[in-house]
Amino acid sequence: MNLLITGGAGFIGSHVVRLFVESYPNYNIFNLDALTYAGNLQNLVDVEEKANYTFLKGDITDAAFLEKIFSEHKFEAVIHLAAESHVDRSIAGPMAFVATNVLGTVNLLEACRRHWAGDYAGKLFYHVSTDEVYGSLGEEGLFTESTAYDPRSPYSASKAASDHFVRAWHHTYGMPVKLSNCSNNYGPNHFPEKLIPLAIHNIKSGKPVPVYGKGENVRDWLYVLDHARAIEAIFHRGKVGDTYNVGGVNEWRNIDLIELLCDVMDEKLGREQGTSRKLITFVKDRAGHDARYAIDSSKLMKELGWAPSVTFEQGLAKTVDWYLQNEQWLAEVTSGHYQQYYAQQYEAR
Ligand code: NAD
Ligand code: DAU
């Protein structure tokens, strides 16, 4: 099978690429990535020489480029992860989200439609999406696959639009599609603009750890390899036309999570307990900050037998260990443009 994975140089994409390259030597895996600030080929150094792996640098907003690679490589399946993924960046500059997440997704759907030309036997377009399309929960309840869409940030609106386009290509043109909507991921290779890696980086460097508002917002955290395993299961065994919610059954208030992380870091760094908690700094809230996300993954668990493989404590310890052992990775991604982003995002808060 010629399998195109988009966004494979990013956080989740790199774990998905590695899992597929290592587990399916009979698949030719093509990783298409524009290498934006979030894409990093260092995430894949261990697979770049494998015979079944090819990297294609390009942009999904470029329809002519997609036409060229689809002609050359005759892809039979696509796992689409490429996206602008950070909510704060979508608030500061929404147009890049419209371009990549909406237009880029439609470009890919159109490339598949042209090249598969109605012969959909053995073909699949798998779209990786987010729980944020469902909006924000109160204190009770969970997002299910039938929860009405209610996106509230430019990021989630762009992902919701992309989900609608994918379903439209299924219903209108008969394209075989699958979708999954996942909760917050964490783990190795996570870009330090997101809460957990940003906090690890700041705690390590003794810098303030910014917590938005009162830190009472709730997220449902899933270890990134467990998301990759869910994608693997849905790709192979999920029902065509269906959506699967993926979550960690692991809800945390931001402030509780950051306090736990501070304690784990104190232990790992040999600091006296309580030292890192002193770095916690409450800052101005995110505009339109969604209060709570929580996912009901029972469909995925019952139909495909998937379950998270690590507890949060295990996953967090593995994550902190990875960042402490990969100082060079962290130093490289936090140099240059990151400094400018950090100043713009946090100095005025
Ligand atoms: P990321 O920002 O770490 O990586 C995105 C990748 O896409 C990068 O490698 C980037 O270079 C590439 N990319 C961006 N624009 C591109 C373009 N125009 N053309 C080609 N490549 C482009 O993102 P992530 O956190 O790994 O998320 C991957 C996917 O999973 C996204 O679709 C996201 O919406 C979804 N998702 C993420 C989470 C999460 O917690 N991170 C949870 C649920 C769903
Ligand atoms: O739910 C899935 C989504 O999770 C994905 O679709 C997104 O791509 C991913 O970025 C993530 O979105 P969040 O906005 O939930 O993640 P983030 O790490 O940016 O923030 C997590 C929580 O922490 C959120 O309530 C905002 C808060 N936060 C974040 C940052 C960066 C802070 O308090 N301080 C911060 O500095």
Side-chain angles (χ1 to χ4, degrees):
M1 182 199 302
N2 283 354
L3 168 60
L4 176 66
I5 301 180
T6 71
F11 167 47
I12 301 170
S14 60
H15 290 278
V16 173
V17 165
R18 179 175 300 99
L19 181 64
F20 275 77
V21 167
E22 287 180 348
S23 311
Y24 303 96
N26 54 330
Y27 295 180
N28 297 312
I29 313 288
F30 295 85
N31 169 17
L32 157 58
D33 199 296
L35 301 182
T36 68
Y37 78 92
N40 186 348
L41 289 177
Q42 288 298 319
N43 294 345
L44 287 168
V45 273
D46 53 324
V47 299
E48 66 188 9
E49 299 297 333
K50 302 272 180 179
N52 64 337
Y53 173 73
T54 306
F55 175 65
L56 303 169
K57 183 172 184 307
D59 194 320
I60 58 169
T61 64
D62 181 350
F65 168 75
L66 293 182
E67 177 57 33
K68 180 170 167 287
I69 61 167
F70 270 76
S71 298
E72 276 172 20
H73 302 294
K74 312 276 180 248
F75 304 120
E76 292 150 288
V78 176
I79 304 179
H80 176 36
L81 295 113
E84 288 291 338
S85 69
H86 191 38
V87 174
D88 292 325
R89 287 186 195 254
S90 83
I91 295 167
M95 289 315 287
F97 289 71
V98 178
T100 287
N101 300 359
V102 186
L103 182 63
T105 300
V106 177
N107 278 340
L108 271 173
L109 288 165
E110 277 297 80
C112 291
R113 189 164 76 91
R114 267 197 314 277
H115 283 268
W116 295 344
D119 177 11
Y120 288 131
K123 308 292 197 305
L124 179 64
F125 188 98
Y126 179 172
H127 182 57
V128 176
S129 193
T130 170
D131 62 356
E132 299 198 11
V133 298
Y134 299 122
S136 182
L137 291 163
E139 282 182 14
E140 300 291 314
L142 300 171
F143 296 133
T144 71
E145 287 81 1
S146 56
T147 300
Y149 274 33
D150 182 22
R152 298 148 58 98
S153 73
Y155 163 69
S156 55
S158 68
K159 290 297 290 187
S162 66
D163 293 10
H164 291 320
F165 277 107
V166 173
R167 292 194 182 100
W169 261 239
H170 177 62
H171 291 291
T172 308
Y173 304 114
M175 186 178 289
V177 307
K178 297 179 186 179
L179 294 92
S180 54
N181 294 78
C182 188
S183 65
N184 289 62
N185 285 214
Y186 70 99
N189 310 94
H190 205 181
F191 193 81
E193 63 187 351
K194 311 281 168 55
L195 180 65
I196 290 182
L198 184 139
I200 292 174
H201 178 50
N202 286 16
I203 294 167
K204 187 167 160 279
S205 338
K207 280 173 53 180
V209 178
V211 173
Y212 295 164
K214 294 182 181 159
E216 286 170 348
N217 305 67
V218 173
R219 297 292 184 264
D220 175 358
W221 294 94
L222 178 68
Y223 192 60
V224 62
L225 279 170
D226 283 328
H227 186 193
R229 289 174 47 250
I231 290 172
E232 180 191 21
I234 296 163
F235 178 78
H236 290 108
R237 295 182 286 115
K239 222 171 116 203
V240 169
D242 266 22
T243 295
Y244 293 83
N245 278 358
V246 189
V249 201
N250 181 39
E251 289 183 52
W252 285 81
R253 286 196 320 159
N254 291 338
I255 184 63
D256 299 334
L257 185 161
I258 292 300
E259 286 181 354
L260 172 67
L261 184 59
C262 286
D263 297 348
V264 171
M265 294 282 291
D266 280 347
E267 196 190 315
K268 300 269 185 198
L269 294 168
R271 292 180 184 161
E272 193 185 330
Q273 277 298 320
T275 308
S276 298
R277 285 189 185 213
K278 296 193 186 110
L279 298 169
I280 294 173
T281 309
F282 293 96
V283 300
K284 187 172 165 233
D285 210 351
R286 174 184 280 175
H289 198 170
D290 287 340
R292 176 174 165 255
Y293 306 143
I295 276 273
D296 178 353
S297 321
S298 54
K299 176 179 173 185
L300 176 62
M301 290 175 160
K302 279 187 207 134
E303 283 188 18
L304 304 183
W306 173 89
S309 68
V310 292
T311 64
F312 193 47
E313 285 67 19
Q314 289 167 334
L316 207 54
K318 277 169 182 270
T319 304
V320 171
D321 286 343
W322 187 87
Y323 281 91
L324 295 181
Q325 286 156 15
N326 287 274
E327 289 189 344
Q328 181 70 15
W329 183 96
L330 197 53
E332 278 171 20
V333 302
T334 53
S335 63
H337 289 307
Y338 181 82
Q339 301 296 336
Q340 206 183 332
Y341 165 78
Y342 198 89
Q344 271 162 7
Q345 180 64 26
Y346 292 100
E347 264 170 21
R349 278 195 128 95

